[in-house]
Amino acid sequence: MAAEKEKIEINYVHKNAIHCETVRKEQRHQKLQREYKINPFRKLDILTEKPNTYFDTDNIEGKEEVIELYRRAREVPTVKYDAPITEAQSYGWYSEPLVKVDRSDIRLHHPRHKSELTKYMASTWKLKEQTLNQAAVQNPQ
């Protein structure tokens, strides 16, 4: 037991060597970024300046580039790209109808017509929904 409780001496030379090796590995894989850009795929929240301070926004360098990046990020994918990028985008990419709809042609256009029976059933269902909603409000469970 006495041997277990003995203090183990810290070898500062080995500890320093391990630290130096760790720092060298970090520096080898670390890249310092010096140019900062706005992520065009993230929604931007533009905040105004404080009302009691004076700041001239016309003299900002690179203002056109930021505005162009913001405009490009807000575009619809069909405007940004010529073809769908992902498989999910391919559904609905070509949303224009293949045949132009002619509403005057009775062979292809069948609008809904309301008869007396459909009007009666619509009012009956509406009345039933209203009574159920009133009962739910009066007797909440």
Side-chain angles (χ1 to χ4, degrees), residues 15-130:
K15 193 174 181 179
N16 189 28
I18 292 171
H19 177 69
C20 289
E21 183 181 355
T22 305
V23 169
R24 262 188 270 119
K25 285 181 181 179
E26 286 177 359
Q27 287 178 345
R28 188 175 358 164
H29 298 290
Q30 193 175 36
K31 182 179 178 184
L32 184 63
Q33 296 290 334
R34 296 194 182 266
E35 291 184 22
Y36 301 101
K37 295 183 180 180
I38 295 174
N39 184 358
F41 302 110
R42 186 166 181 247
K43 182 181 175 185
L44 295 175
D45 295 324
I46 297 177
L47 301 175
T48 58
E49 294 294 323
K50 293 182 180 180
N52 58 349
T53 61
Y54 177 75
F55 183 71
D56 191 15
T57 58
D58 294 335
N59 298 333
I60 297 176
E61 296 177 9
K63 183 178 177 183
E64 293 80 22
E65 180 183 339
V66 172
I67 292 172
E68 180 61 28
L69 279 173
Y70 184 73
R71 185 196 59 77
R72 178 99 169 122
R74 304 290 283 183
E75 284 181 347
V76 180
T78 54
V79 175
K80 281 187 199 178
Y81 311 110
D82 296 333
I85 302 298
T86 63
E87 191 64 29
Q89 285 181 344
S90 64
Y91 297 104
W93 189 266
Y94 305 105
S95 59
E96 297 171 3
L98 297 175
V99 179
K100 194 167 187 171
V101 178
D102 185 14
R103 299 205 185 268
S104 63
D105 189 4
I106 60 171
R107 296 174 299 165
L108 302 174
H109 183 64
H110 304 287
R112 290 187 179 181
H113 296 285
K114 287 190 175 182
S115 65
E116 291 181 21
L117 182 62
T118 56
K119 289 178 184 178
Y120 169 75
M121 287 307 295
S123 62
T124 305
W125 280 103
K126 187 176 181 181
L127 181 64
K128 182 178 179 183
E129 286 180 8
Q130 288 176 352

